[in-house]
Amino acid sequence: MFDLYLNDEEEKAVATILITGAGTGFGHEVALRLAAKGFNVIAGVEIAAQVHSLSEEAKKRGVNLCVEKLDVTCEGDRLKAAKWDVDILLNNAGISEGGAIADIPAENLRRQYEVNVIGPVILTQLLLKKMVKNKKGRIVFMSSVAGLTTDPFSGAYSSSKHAIEAIASALSQEVKEFGIEVATVNPGPFLTGFNDRMFDSWQSWVDDPTQRLFDYENIAFPHEQYDPEPVFETTIGVLTGEIDNYRNVEPKEIISQQKELLDAVWKQKVTDGLGKRSDLVQKAYDIRPGTPA
């Protein structure tokens, strides 16, 4: 095992952890907490303005944090990152495009895959080669339970996370012989604003609203949402090696539900519920945004 969960401060500082998408959400907090633990953290943020805001937050917390502009879809940014000596990579950068498969414009669909799949994979390729030379390293993908199962109106986002699940699984098998560890973190519905923003993304669509199948002004994320604290702690555990599971679902109380949903597909009939609105579609109309669990 590539054990970087160390108590010795001098040894701990040797481990360099790169976190993409650290300007907001899970990546933001995980970067700050790891820096507070004494790790050498490079926090990659999408836009230049986030460099200043995250650096100021690090100062307020009294931690040393290296903040770099790293848009995973930008070749120049990726090539810059390829020069860094990274021991652990957290592919956390991601966006969420909400909407029915029948309605999402092509441009938005392409952007979903560029940010969530293509950019992170190319960045991983660049950093992986250095890890192979060192015969050790750890690559963690911030996936989602949406990479295991799928809800209505999240098909684009979910498909990008299904792709990440396939990529992580293949990579894990391919790089074992080189001493590289691969893991996923799979958050469920957490109240960070990310899920609710997904259901506002239609506002930027360039399309004909009269041709949409659904009224997105009256649709919200169809799940109650949890406090994100467990994701912070689990992600840190996976990155540092304290947790060595390949797949890490949070909150843990939904693991059995995910397994049941996966199993149910084997019994599903194409005629089940035909001609009726599905329960989750109806819930998307009924629920208020940001409803806590």
Side-chain angles (χ1 to χ4, degrees):
M1 179 181 176
F2 182 46
D3 187 6
L4 291 174
Y5 191 71
L6 305 170
N7 292 321
D8 186 273
E9 294 300 321
E10 184 176 348
E11 288 187 66
K12 188 185 293 184
V14 172
T16 297
I17 304 173
L18 171 60
I19 300 174
T20 67
T24 59
F26 296 138
H28 181 273
E29 186 63 23
V30 168
L32 289 165
R33 292 192 187 191
L34 280 169
K37 288 178 177 288
F39 287 96
N40 180 27
V41 180
I42 304 174
V45 298
E46 181 187 6
I47 59 177
Q50 293 173 324
V51 174
H52 176 73
S53 59
L54 183 52
S55 297
E56 287 301 303
E57 179 64 21
K59 288 180 183 178
K60 289 179 182 178
R61 297 201 192 187
V63 300
N64 293 319
L65 182 64
C66 176
V67 186
E68 296 277 357
K69 179 186 175 297
L70 176 53
D71 178 347
V72 296
T73 68
C74 174
E75 183 179 12
D77 284 1
R78 292 194 302 259
L79 291 175
K80 177 180 67 174
K83 298 176 183 178
W84 304 334
D85 291 321
V86 175
D87 301 295
I88 307 168
L89 168 64
L90 173 59
N91 281 306
N92 172 75
I95 61 172
S96 52
E97 185 69 41
I101 293 300
D103 290 336
I104 297 175
E107 182 179 351
N108 298 73
L109 192 60
R110 290 191 184 95
R111 177 66 178 168
Q112 177 72 91
Y113 296 144
E114 285 291 336
V115 177
N116 286 22
V117 182
I118 305 300
V121 170
I122 296 174
L123 177 64
T124 298
Q125 289 175 337
L126 293 170
L127 296 175
L128 179 62
K129 301 301 171 64
K130 282 190 175 182
M131 292 182 183
V132 169
K133 287 182 181 179
N134 294 331
K135 297 294 183 182
K136 64 179 181 178
R138 181 174 298 133
I139 298 169
V140 180
F141 292 90
M142 184 62 79
S143 182
S144 171
V145 295
L148 309 176
T149 58
T150 309
D151 288 340
F153 309 121
S154 65
Y157 172 71
S158 186
S159 65
S160 74
K161 292 303 183 180
H162 274 68
I164 287 299
E165 287 293 315
I167 287 163
S169 179
L171 185 65
S172 175
Q173 298 171 70
E174 293 160 358
V175 299
K176 284 184 183 295
E177 65 181 277
F178 303 111
I180 312 301
E181 299 176 7
V182 178
T184 69
V185 178
N186 299 71
F190 284 94
L191 195 52
T192 63
F194 184 83
N195 297 314
D196 296 308
R197 287 193 298 272
M198 173 173 23
F199 278 71
D200 287 335
S201 61
W202 61 271
Q203 296 181 36
S204 68
W205 289 358
V206 179
D207 68 339
D208 180 356
T210 66
Q211 297 301 308
R212 296 172 185 167
L213 294 185
F214 296 92
D215 178 8
Y216 295 105
E217 289 189 5
N218 295 308
I219 291 175
F221 181 69
H223 293 284
E224 292 78 13
Q225 301 178 64
Y226 297 84
D227 183 280
E229 184 63 30
V231 181
F232 302 148
E233 293 304 310
T234 293
T235 303
I236 289 170
V238 173
L239 289 171
T240 60
E242 182 184 17
I243 297 172
D244 61 1
N245 294 330
Y246 167 75
R247 175 174 289 161
N248 300 272
V249 173
E250 288 291 350
K252 292 181 176 60
E253 55 260 40
I254 70 169
I255 293 176
S256 59
Q257 177 196 55
Q258 291 297 304
K259 291 179 178 180
E260 289 173 5
L261 290 170
L262 286 167
D263 185 58
V265 175
W266 293 98
K267 303 173 184 177
Q268 182 177 324
K269 306 296 182 184
V270 295
T271 53
D272 288 349
L274 205 61
K276 299 179 180 179
R277 176 172 284 178
S278 78
D279 291 342
L280 273 181
V281 169
Q282 185 59 53
K283 187 171 183 178
Y285 278 100
D286 294 340
I287 198 170
R288 292 178 59 83
T291 300

